[in-house]
Amino acid sequence: MIYRRKTYKIKPEKLDDFNHFFHTYLYPNQIQHGARLIGRWVNENKDEILAIWEYSSMEQYHQIEQQIKNSERFKRAEEKRKELGEIYIESHQDFLTTTAPDPSTYHPPKHTMSVSGYITNTEGDVLLVRNFHRSDTMEMPGGQVEVDETIEEAIHREIMEETGVEIQLIGITGIYQNVTSGVTCVVFRGEYVSGEQRPAENETSEVIFTKLNHENIHRFITREQFRSRALDAMDANYLPYEAFKARPYELISRFEGKKDN
């Protein structure tokens, strides 16, 4: 394995613009062509962003870069960059390998935290999305938890970014660990509050509210790992959730979820 460490220097006031650009263009283009995002970090001053990508070999990295440069999304990204002006001041990258002379200088995270949400409207319809890089199935909206973000904040942000919908949370219905990829997903159940559903450019190709039950779920959610999460959320038993800071202790939020009648 090799790891590409990409560092971006930005103006702090451009952080939101850069985050949107990253999630809309940089991230989906890499993932679609076979790279894996190990993690992304923002420093305290919000003027430097570090992203680490994993590739099976340097050859795979060069193949992916060539595929990206030939893609329509790359062309749109370049146009968007010009439209927004300089999103970042400068960027540079280096490579780390598992056989480096001093491997102790870098250890990739063993786990990534993600979130997804089983969201219903007043008619009981469930919010589902189809992602560009997983077009064979629909799934509950969600994504990766960012640094310095609670999982509660992450689920609100991800659902708004992917679907344009604002929600309120009811509770946590399950925790799921993909041992192969090192991703742990926390699934929430929630309710629609406001917003007009819409796809996210270059991320979700379809966003719908639909009737979902044990009989028809196979028609919509074709991947077994996503289907089991939705089924658990459908017949929810809620888990308590608490976010806090330590030294000194400060409770940020806590809820235990509603009990369905």
Side-chain angles (χ1 to χ4, degrees), residues 58-203:
M58 186 61 78
E59 182 182 7
Q60 188 203 27
Y61 161 70
H62 287 302
Q63 288 174 348
I64 289 174
E65 286 299 297
Q66 190 58 51
Q67 290 170 339
I68 288 173
K69 288 177 181 177
N70 292 333
S71 70
E72 284 300 317
R73 185 182 281 120
F74 178 79
K75 295 173 185 175
R76 290 196 295 269
E78 290 300 294
E79 292 170 1
K80 192 66 175 177
R81 248 179 91 174
K82 291 175 184 176
E83 180 185 322
L84 292 174
E86 286 300 325
I87 300 176
Y88 43 85
I89 300 170
E90 63 179 57
S91 66
H92 63 272
Q93 67 182 27
D94 58 354
F95 291 89
L96 306 156
T97 71
T98 53
T99 57
D102 184 14
S104 63
T105 58
Y106 171 67
H107 297 284
K110 293 182 179 179
H111 298 288
T112 300
M113 183 67 70
S114 68
V115 290
S116 64
Y118 185 94
I119 310 302
T120 56
N121 60 17
T122 53
E123 287 77 36
D125 297 339
V126 180
L127 182 64
L128 296 176
V129 302
R130 189 182 304 278
N131 283 299
F132 279 106
H133 60 286
R134 286 192 294 269
S135 59
D136 61 302
T137 184
M138 300 205 78
E139 60 191 271
M140 297 180 291
Q144 188 171 312
V145 180
E146 299 284 0
V147 177
D148 295 329
E149 188 176 47
T150 69
I151 60 173
E152 186 179 0
E153 291 169 340
I155 190 62
H156 281 285
R157 174 185 56 77
E158 283 288 348
I159 289 180
M160 174 57 73
E161 288 178 358
E162 287 193 355
T163 71
V165 167
E166 183 180 348
I167 63 167
Q168 65 178 6
L169 298 177
I170 298 173
I172 291 173
T173 61
I175 300 171
Y176 306 85
Q177 184 179 16
N178 183 335
V179 178
T180 302
S181 65
V183 176
T184 298
C185 181
V186 178
V187 176
F188 286 84
R189 187 162 174 173
E191 296 173 341
Y192 168 86
V193 174
S194 64
E196 185 175 345
Q197 71 212 53
R198 49 90 184 127
E201 185 180 3
N202 297 319
E203 187 170 359

